[in-house]
Amino acid sequence: MNTDVPMTNKQKLVFHLMEKGLNNEEVARTLADVAEAAYEQFTTEAMSHFTDEDKKAIEACGDDASADELIKKLFSDRVGKDASEHLDQIVEGHAASYLLDSANDAGVN
Amino acid sequence: MDSKENGGINRAVVTPPENLPATPLEQVLVAPLGGPVQVSQRVIDDVNSVRPLEEAISLSVKKEQWANSVDTLNNSTVVGDARAASPLSGVPTQPNFETSNIPQGMVAYRPENTGGAIVDTSEPVVDATGPAHARIRKQTLQSFSNMTPEERVAAARAALLRYDQEVGMGKDASGNDVPHQQYKRELRRLNQDLFSPVVKSALEDRNGQQVDVSILNNTALMKEAGENEKLRRMLVKESSKKIDEVFKDVMDAAYQKQHVVEGVYARAGTVAPGDGGVTPDWAKRAVRTEQRKIALGLLTTPESSQLAIAKAKEWVGAQMTGVPDVDEAIAGKARLGRALLRIQGEQEKKAAKAAVVSQAPVVSTETVVEAQPAVVATSPVIESGVFGPKPGFPDTSRLVEKPPVEDVVVPLTEPESEDKKRRRGIIPLFTDFVEKSGEPTSGAEGRVRRYGKRIAIGAVAGAIAWTLLRSGDEPHANYNPDTTSPDAQPALVVEDTKPAVPVMRGQGFIPGDEGGGASSGPFSDSSRGVVDESIGSGQPTTRPEASVEVAMSTEVTFGPGETFGEKMFGIDGTTEGGRQQISERLNDRSNLDFVEATVLANIGENGMATSATDVKQIFDGIREGTLSQEQGWHMLDDVLVRGTPDKDFTYNMPTKAGVDALVDDREGIYAASGVEGANTTRSEIPDFTVSGADGSPVQVTVGDGTGGPDQVSQEAPVAVASDFAPTAGDVIVGGGAEEQPDVVPGKPTNKGFFNRVSRFFK
């Protein structure tokens, strides 16, 4: 494969961490930070838009799968964005933030 | 920098950023090397007219310190040159000390840096005993007693600034070198030390004043409430209001805390070029690290969180603790508060970074140009998602359009490096880590959190998988596309053993799943839909009909310059558009055939004895749903990283026939793990055998995941009691290492057999 295929920030981050020589646990921890920060942000954003009725409906779902579908729909209705895409972009943003931090650190070295 | 002669002393004042007041903290004194130090009256006057930034600190303390400093300094001799940057000279090494405006032979120091780092003092100017952070903390806390909460926050802020400058010079108050890492640790500790009492005081100041807890502390009332649901709900509702108030205070304090460090950060990062650069670069990085941690909520210390929660419980009444509604409300508020702080931190961090990028002299133009787009730009690949097609992008059905690829010849070049093997280990490690890091939640927030978690983890994990595969796909790393080269000897020819491998219809790998996120990723939550849930539910074990024919089944010969992506997808990779399409396909998780090809290529390169058949069996298991992708990745990891498995190993891979037998013969019987949710490693999970209705054993063997199949074979399967005779509808809930499977009659679930079995892997 050509090496100049555009990469997402997430992918860039993985490469970057590897190139920095981080060990597995450090890479995993960093990426877990990214994921955690992303879903924390998503959770807060979603919960701030959902109404009490929405929350009750989510809680009333019989299983996680149906709850996921409802959350997806409600998020789209209330926020006007596709939940998966939006969260993916949040992850991208956090990954970009890490990369920028790293770039800044490199810049001052 | 303003520099002028003043009684034999050059005095320079670093111009502060516009958003920060000019304070004596920015002043730099310059004195001739070897000469006497004299402090100008103007500097003393400046100190006596401290600006609002320092007002929170006790003026008396500060003036006293300064007076001591003046006395000491006036009798001191300069012993070092800032530019000497040699610890031997007694001058701290200052990596980025701006000396352009300081004459040769002069040294610079700040009035605050009175610990003797630069000047040869016969006596300490301030109490220099103990670590600097402890001293500053002590001084600051002492002055807390007569301060309002706002003043305390400001005092803490000023103390941090002072610490940044004092210790940031490279010496602690005792004159010892302060390594960067130590500086970071001490700054963090100081931050926590200072703000725990800030948070605490903020809470205590409101106690008994704005929050009346007398009713909630009424034991009799609470006792009654326990018996009166309506009253209980009312009290819970009332408690919730109190909790809101508590956490508002906590968040206010946390917000202030964030701004403290942000202030340090802004101060460190916005010193204009040529204006002294008095803050060492590593100090800036240290502050940025703190800033980042705040943004991520990591600096909302457990101590402060626990304090706030404890206080909240106290306020709503100790009797209320243990009431699930209240506990959940408190925990929920805490989580939400932390999340809000993180978002706030992220936003403000970006703003601060933008300012720094535009102003900081330490960031090169090259770096800025490269880094800035990462903040605002959206990569086209984002739109395609990591897993599963997104609107506007091709779904798996487009694979039908691919021309069949005839031959796959994977040249062998060099063995897989240890580093590469190590990288591959990231997959299970990451999965394990994130799976264990989730917070238990309930209610709507918990479900939203889990939903977001699945997608976020999937997105990141997908990036790992993609990256690993990509790193293994780069010509220099894995194969020599130049088939004319004598080095490009084909090492592995994938035989045409399976002309058509079905791929499940649908956007994602999971029937009915829309793709995207972890629910359809290789690290998907194995409790969801990875396996056709009709298995074991009494429904026919039908599979989605094949919608594509994958190319992995036949051989592909690579020509010069050709790549996997081009070959596997039939796309011309020499054009930008083609490369983009390949990228999209790579990001489509359903392209297991490509993944499989890459894995096979790596096996060949490794020279491992692992057979292509073993690998293909794993992928077939994934495709056919008898194996979750998570399980598959674990197995591949074992195969690829941990050595060559025995040819006859069966670990982690029950056969399709076994599944069918179980499903067909024991309809409604489910093998449920008795270790669900526990921290059980695979080595603790025994083999267990379930006898089918016809008496034929159906064995599910679970590997240990650590040492290959040998360890599995060494484990004695748990003997199933002779009277163990599950019947339709029973749920096997036992299976621990030391226990017999138990049978809970009449509790069938709608979960598939392998959804249950897959829990063994967690």
Side-chain angles (χ1 to χ4, degrees), chain B residues 333-395:
Chain B
K333 290 291 181 184
R335 287 194 299 271
L336 193 59
R338 290 196 297 272
L340 286 170
L341 182 61
R342 286 168 198 162
I343 291 176
Q344 197 170 41
E346 280 296 309
Q347 292 171 342
E348 298 192 10
K349 183 176 71 172
K350 287 182 179 179
K353 281 176 181 171
V356 172
V357 167
S358 63
Q359 299 179 41
V362 295
V363 180
S364 69
T365 302
E366 181 181 353
T367 302
V368 173
V369 171
E370 182 180 349
Q372 278 186 324
V375 176
V376 296
T378 301
S379 167
V381 183
I382 294 176
E383 301 303 326
S384 68
V386 174
F387 294 140
K390 294 294 186 292
F393 287 84
D395 61 17

Side-chain angles (χ1 to χ4, degrees), chain A residues 1 3 24 58 68 96 101 107, chain B residues 292 353 362 374 454 470 586:
Chain A
M1 197 185 88
T3 56
N24 288 356
I58 293 171
D68 286 354
D101 270 352
Chain B
R292 179 189 306 160
K353 281 176 181 171
V362 295
R454 276 193 289 271
R470 188 176 189 274
L586 287 173

Side-chain angles (χ1 to χ4, degrees), chain B residues 115-167:
Chain B
I118 297 178
V119 296
D120 182 13
T121 59
S122 58
E123 56 182 339
V125 177
V126 296
D127 177 16
T129 58
H133 86 273
R135 176 172 48 79
I136 296 175
R137 174 180 178 273
K138 179 181 178 183
Q139 294 169 350
T140 306
L141 294 183
Q142 283 176 342
S143 63
F144 271 4
S145 57
N146 296 319
M147 290 182 180
T148 66
E150 291 74 18
E151 288 172 337
R152 291 174 185 177
V153 171
R157 176 182 180 183
L160 281 178
L161 286 172
R162 188 154 63 94
Y163 182 81
D164 175 48
Q165 290 199 333
E166 185 169 330
V167 183

Side-chain angles (χ1 to χ4, degrees), chain A residues 49-91:
Chain A
H49 283 85
F50 289 168
T51 66
D52 288 343
E53 288 70 27
D54 292 341
K55 296 172 185 174
K56 290 177 182 175
I58 293 171
E59 292 184 28
C61 288
D63 55 71
D64 276 357
S66 59
D68 286 354
E69 288 301 313
L70 180 58
I71 292 168
K72 190 184 303 180
K73 178 181 182 304
L74 289 173
F75 191 88
S76 177
D77 292 345
R78 305 292 181 229
V79 185
K81 299 177 181 175
D82 179 87
S84 296
E85 290 181 358
H86 184 57
L87 186 50
D88 201 25
Q89 289 176 349
I90 293 174
V91 174

